[in-house]
């Protein structure tokens, strides 16, 4: 489904952040990526999404056999990729619902589908907002505008729920969430997840993985995946940190 | 109406006075601080300036004859002198614009649309104490080379006034709008405008905050393309304690569009507790678009808070990335951000006919 091969990327000053990432994600799988700060986790999501601050030095990223790196940013999204960044951008003045509708209809246009009617969109929006126990006030607000960290993360998952991507790359979705919000967001992700889809979670803590059971856990360090394992790896990392890996 | 308001109307200049004064000050020149950024060569010399003046101005606009030379030939030589020095303010009166004088009673609640049907217009409003007034200014439908309007607005104590315009793009070659606003104690004036005009224009405002606690809120948005050249000149006089003024000017410029913002704040002696802010934000959508900003602060009292800021940039790259990373095409994302930038100008306004009109036109 998502195939990342020897992906290398650098920032403007030439510093290479990703130094050869390899990752195979199949439908129905949940992959957790853990690693110390500065290891390249957030960079990985942004490079896959096409963020202009990064330069791809080599490698490939394919989604269902199509090379994402050759696509425009919006085409990657419309092909089924969803990226949630660690710090969702605030866009005051762009209404949340109008933005969501525009995004959904852009995807439908890309896929050759007709625009969704206002009525159907309203129903869809209501359904997903109920799933995430979101307040009606979200409709009136600007995109992430003035929202707390937790509200932003919930808003990200609402977008994911509405856009219904094949692969979602969620960067520290659990940061800024209190215990109740974590449960709600995790339940939302589980609800959206299906055997045809895949999720990649970037997290520092086991607590998110208590709710969303990973198929695989990977450790990213110095721009490379240096260790992969099952869910038990996350528990060990939580207990012992990362130093033992280098020692091993 | 009070004696002060009657005086306000009585003290308006006559055509003779305006002509005499115009001859005295001469045609606008770039070395005049009121016209620093304006393409003054585009202003035709009015006939009343005199043949000698017109001939010499045409030959060398920067070398207009000394004011006293032409003033001596004026038919208005016996008119009492006036001090007004903005060419655009005097032009409508000198062209015999018939003043439309309207007095609004104390405590009245009125909505009005003002539209000038001639090349030159003059509107005089005397707004009573505690009145609540919403004024929309519509475009005049003239087709000549130059149009100029003047508005003299006297706002009584604790009155609440909104003045706004958000007209479709106008292609008049040259247009001036000048506002003289006097505010008594506790009077609130919100001046909000959207300009999409395609040619040359200038809006000038002289606002006198004469009474304690008077508040002037100015918000303008220019969305310009092509060869548009639009200029704003504001002078706000804080003449009483605890007066407040806010200026927010935003510009979205494409093509070779040009905008200037020349905003002066003058805080008088003994005007304690004054608060004034000026912020100009510009987004340049093309290489050839340009903006010039000149903030001036003249403060003659210690206990005041005055700020000014100016930003020029492009659309926010992170916001663009966020929108397109959700599948929205680049062009549509740009339009969303431009609309958002534009709407933010007026979001802080209270719900009112002005806010409704301004937001709906974006």
């Amino acid at each position: 489904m998502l195939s990342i091969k020897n992906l290398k990327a650098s920032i403007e000053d030439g510093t290479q952040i990703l130094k050869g990432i390899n990752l195979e994600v199949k439908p129905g799988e949940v992959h957790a990526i853990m690693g110390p700060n500065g290891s390249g986790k957030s960079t990985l999501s942004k490079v896959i999404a096409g963020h202009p601050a990064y330069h791809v030095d080599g490698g490939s990223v394919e989604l269902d056999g199509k090379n994402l790196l050759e696509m425009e940013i919006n085409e990657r999204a419309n092909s089924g990729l969803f990226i949630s960044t660690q710090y969702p951008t605030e866009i005051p003045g762009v209404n949340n619902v109008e933005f969501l509708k525009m995004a959904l209809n852009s995807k439908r246009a890309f896929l050759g589908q007709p625009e969704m009617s206002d009525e159907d969109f309203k129903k869809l929006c209501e359904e997903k907002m109920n799933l995430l126990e979101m307040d009606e006030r979200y409709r009136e607000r600007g995109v992430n505008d003035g929202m707390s960290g937790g509200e932003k993360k919930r808003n990200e998952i609402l977008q994911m729920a509405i856009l219904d991507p094949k692969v979602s790359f969620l960067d520290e979705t659990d940061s800024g969430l209190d215990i109740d919000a974590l449960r709600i967001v995790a339940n939302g992700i589980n609800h959206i997840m299906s055997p045809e889809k895949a999720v990649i979670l970037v997290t520092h803590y086991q607590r998110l993985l208590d709710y969303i059971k990973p198929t695989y856990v990977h450790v990213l360090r110095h721009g490379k995946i240096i260790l992969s394992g099952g869910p038990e790896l996350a528990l060990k990392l939580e207990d012992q940190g990362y130093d033992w890996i280098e020692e091993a | 109406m009070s004696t002060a308001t009657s005086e306000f109307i009585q003290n308006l200049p006559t055509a003779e006075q305006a002509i005499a004064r115009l001859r005295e000050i001469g045609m606008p020149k770039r070395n005049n601080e009121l016209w620093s950024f304006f393409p003054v060569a585009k202003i035709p010399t009015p006939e009343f300036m005199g043949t000698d003046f017109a001939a010499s101005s045409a030959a060398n606009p920067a070398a207009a004859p000394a004011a006293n030379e032409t003033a001596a030939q004026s038919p208005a030589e016996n008119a009492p002198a006036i001090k007004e020095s903005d060419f655009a303010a005097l032009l409508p009166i000198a062209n015999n614009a018939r003043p439309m004088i309207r007095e609004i009673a104390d405590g009245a609640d009125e909505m009005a649309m003002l539209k000038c049907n001639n090349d030159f217009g003059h509107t005089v409003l005397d707004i009573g104490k505690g009145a609540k007034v919403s004024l929309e200014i519509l475009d005049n439908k003239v087709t000549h080379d130059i149009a100029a309007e003047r508005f003299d607005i006297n706002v009584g104590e604790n009155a609440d006034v909104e003045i706004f315009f958000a007209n479709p793009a106008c292609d008049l070659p040259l247009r001036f709008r000048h506002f003289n606003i006097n505010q008594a104690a506790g009077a609130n004036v919100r001046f909000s405008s959207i300009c999409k005009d395609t040619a040359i224009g200038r809006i000038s405002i002289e606002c006198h905050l004469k009474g304690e606690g008077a508040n002037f809120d100015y918000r303008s948005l220019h969305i310009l393309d092509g060869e548009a050249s639009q200029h704003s000149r504001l002078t706000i006089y804080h003449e009483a304690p605890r007066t407040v003024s806010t200026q927010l000017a935003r510009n979205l410029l494409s093509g070779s569009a040009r905008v200037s913002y020349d905003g002066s704040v003058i805080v008088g002696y003994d005007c304690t507790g004054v608060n004034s802010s000026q912020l100009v934000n510009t987004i340049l959508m093309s290489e050839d678009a340009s903006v010039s900003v000149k903030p001036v602060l003249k403060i003659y009292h210690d206990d005041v808070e005055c700020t000014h800021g100016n930003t020029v940039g492009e659309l926010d790259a992170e916001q663009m990335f966020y929108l397109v990373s959700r599948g929205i095409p680049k062009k549509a994302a740009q339009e969303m951000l431009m609309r958002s930038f534009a709407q933010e100008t007026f979001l802080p306004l209270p719900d009112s006919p002005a806010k409704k009109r301004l937001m709906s036109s974006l």
Side-chain angles (χ1 to χ4, degrees):
Chain A
M1 187 175 209
L2 183 73
S3 175
I4 303 173
K5 288 183 180 156
N6 199 27
L7 181 63
K8 294 176 183 172
S10 54
I11 53 176
E12 196 177 352
D13 68 4
T15 307
Q16 195 168 64
I17 310 293
L18 302 183
K19 297 173 179 172
I21 299 277
N22 291 292
L23 185 65
E24 291 290 332
V25 181
K26 296 191 176 106
E29 291 181 348
V30 174
H31 289 244
I33 297 180
M34 304 178 81
N37 293 328
S39 57
K41 304 185 298 295
S42 297
T43 299
L44 176 60
S45 66
K46 287 182 177 173
V47 168
I48 296 172
H51 195 289
Y54 300 92
H55 178 258
V56 176
D57 301 321
S60 66
V61 180
E62 291 187 353
L63 178 61
D64 288 339
K66 291 177 187 166
N67 189 352
L68 287 180
L69 302 181
E70 290 176 353
M71 295 182 189
E72 296 293 330
I73 300 168
N74 61 310
E75 291 172 344
R76 300 180 197 204
N78 291 330
S79 297
L81 178 71
F82 180 83
I83 301 289
S84 172
T85 56
Q86 191 176 347
Y87 303 106
T89 306
E90 294 191 14
I91 314 181
V94 173
N95 177 271
N96 228 357
V97 170
E98 283 176 22
F99 156 68
L100 278 170
K101 194 174 175 203
M102 171 77 90
L104 178 63
N105 281 325
S106 297
K107 179 176 181 179
R108 291 173 70 90
F110 182 82
L111 298 174
Q113 298 169 351
E115 263 196 19
M116 185 174 276
S117 69
D118 287 348
E119 198 178 329
D120 287 346
F121 180 75
K122 196 177 168 196
K123 279 184 200 164
L124 177 69
C125 215
E126 264 173 18
E127 180 201 329
K128 303 304 182 190
M129 284 176 69
N130 288 339
L131 170 70
L132 292 159
E133 300 180 28
M134 290 174 81
D135 197 293
E136 275 295 308
R137 285 174 299 175
Y138 274 91
R139 290 176 183 277
E140 306 304 322
R141 297 174 77 168
V143 177
N144 298 320
D145 182 24
M147 293 185 186
S148 67
E151 286 175 324
K152 286 178 184 171
K153 295 302 170 76
R154 210 183 288 208
N155 201 29
E156 293 281 285
I157 304 306
L158 174 67
Q159 294 169 28
M160 175 184 165
I162 285 178
L163 296 173
D164 197 27
K166 292 176 188 169
V167 177
S168 302
F169 201 123
L170 309 177
D171 189 1
E172 295 199 30
T173 294
D174 52 338
S175 69
L177 296 180
D178 61 32
I179 297 166
D180 288 334
L182 177 66
R183 175 184 51 77
I184 292 164
V185 165
N187 287 345
I189 295 169
N190 284 329
H191 193 270
I192 297 162
M193 185 61 187
S194 73
E196 299 80 37
K197 298 174 192 164
V199 171
I200 301 165
L201 298 169
V202 169
T203 184
H204 281 292
Y205 307 106
Q206 169 63 31
R207 62 178 195 164
L208 179 64
L209 306 180
D210 288 339
Y211 289 100
I212 306 171
K213 302 294 179 196
T215 320
Y216 297 102
V217 174
H218 309 278
V219 178
L220 185 63
R221 192 162 199 180
H222 303 312
K224 278 186 168 183
I225 290 177
I226 57 169
L227 186 65
S228 295
E232 71 287 348
L233 178 56
L235 292 168
K236 189 171 180 182
L237 292 169
E238 179 100 335
D239 188 41
Q240 299 181 20
Y242 297 101
D243 287 346
W244 64 272
I245 302 173
E246 281 195 338
E247 289 164 11
Chain B
M1 291 290 154
S2 67
T3 310
T5 55
S6 301
E7 280 175 10
F8 166 74
I9 293 174
Q10 285 166 9
N11 288 338
L12 292 168
T14 62
E16 289 74 18
Q17 286 174 312
I19 290 171
R21 181 63 176 153
L22 281 173
R23 290 185 164 192
E24 191 181 336
I25 61 177
M27 291 296 289
K29 285 174 271 186
R30 291 292 285 273
N31 61 6
N32 177 332
E33 66 171 2
L34 293 175
W35 299 87
S36 306
F37 304 111
F38 195 88
V40 290
K42 302 283 185 183
I43 306 173
T45 305
E47 282 180 17
F48 55 69
M49 294 299 275
T51 314
D52 294 345
F53 189 97
S56 63
S57 292
N60 182 4
N68 291 341
E69 291 172 32
T70 48
Q73 301 160 15
S74 166
E77 60 188 273
N78 296 322
I82 54 172
K83 290 182 180 173
E84 193 138 31
S85 55
D86 194 320
F87 176 87
L90 295 164
L91 191 60
I93 296 175
N95 275 287
N96 285 310
R98 214 174 78 187
M100 191 284 285
I101 299 175
R102 174 85 195 279
E103 295 186 11
I104 295 174
D106 293 351
D109 187 345
E110 289 204 16
M111 283 175 62
M113 285 189 281
L114 302 175
K115 184 177 176 183
C116 175
N117 289 314
N118 298 305
D119 294 354
F120 299 99
H122 185 195
T123 302
V124 181
L125 294 171
D126 201 353
I127 297 170
K129 293 176 186 174
K132 190 176 177 198
V133 179
S134 177
L135 297 169
E136 180 172 9
I137 298 170
L138 303 178
D139 275 354
N140 47 354
K141 301 295 178 193
V142 295
T143 54
H144 297 100
D145 290 343
I146 182 168
E149 292 170 88
R150 170 178 170 135
F151 301 83
D152 287 285
I153 303 173
N154 191 48
V155 184
E157 281 177 24
N158 298 314
D160 187 87
V161 178
E162 59 179 22
I163 303 163
F164 63 101
F165 50 92
N167 297 306
C170 169
D171 59 0
L172 267 178
L174 181 59
R175 177 161 70 178
F176 298 122
R177 269 188 176 149
H178 180 85
F179 296 82
N180 273 332
I181 301 171
N182 288 336
Q183 293 180 231
N188 282 312
V189 172
R190 294 179 298 281
F191 186 105
S192 313
S193 64
I194 297 174
C195 174
K196 300 176 183 173
D197 296 353
T198 60
I200 301 170
R202 178 177 183 265
I203 290 171
S204 47
I205 299 175
E206 270 203 25
C207 177
H208 294 264
L209 300 170
K210 289 174 174 288
E212 182 166 350
N215 188 325
F216 179 67
D217 181 285
Y218 172 88
R219 291 167 195 279
S220 70
L221 173 68
H222 285 90
I223 304 175
L224 305 180
D225 200 351
E227 300 289 325
S229 175
Q230 297 292 328
H231 305 267
S232 303
R233 160 83 198 178
L234 269 81
T235 309
I236 300 172
Y237 297 90
H238 287 263
E239 297 170 7
R242 283 166 283 284
T243 47
V244 177
S245 67
T246 309
Q247 301 167 63
L248 174 62
R250 289 195 147 185
N251 308 302
L252 272 168
L253 308 179
S254 307
S256 303
R258 180 153 184 259
V259 152
S260 74
Y261 189 85
D262 185 347
S264 299
V265 172
I266 297 156
V267 181
Y269 296 105
D270 300 326
C271 294
T272 192
V274 161
N275 191 311
S276 170
S277 68
Q278 180 194 96
L279 180 61
V280 182
N281 302 131
T282 304
I283 291 182
L284 300 176
M285 304 293 293
S286 68
E287 288 285 323
D288 294 332
S290 66
V291 61
S292 304
V293 178
K294 189 175 85 175
V296 176
L297 294 172
K298 292 180 183 172
I299 301 170
Y300 299 98
H301 190 84
D302 288 338
D303 179 24
V304 300
E305 191 174 323
C306 294
T307 62
H308 69 85
N310 173 32
T311 65
V312 182
E314 300 171 346
L315 290 175
D316 186 294
E318 285 301 323
Q319 292 181 339
M320 269 300 290
F321 173 72
Y322 192 87
L323 294 177
V324 293
S325 76
R326 294 297 181 260
I328 297 170
K330 190 176 172 185
K331 190 165 185 301
Q334 278 178 337
E335 283 168 4
M336 287 179 93
L337 289 181
M338 285 166 64
R339 196 165 59 245
S340 135
F341 175 83
Q343 287 180 338
E344 272 190 327
T345 316
F346 306 109
L347 277 178
L349 289 175
D351 289 335
S352 64
K355 186 173 185 179
K356 195 174 173 186
R357 175 77 184 92
L358 293 157
M359 296 297 264
S360 68
S361 73
L362 294 172

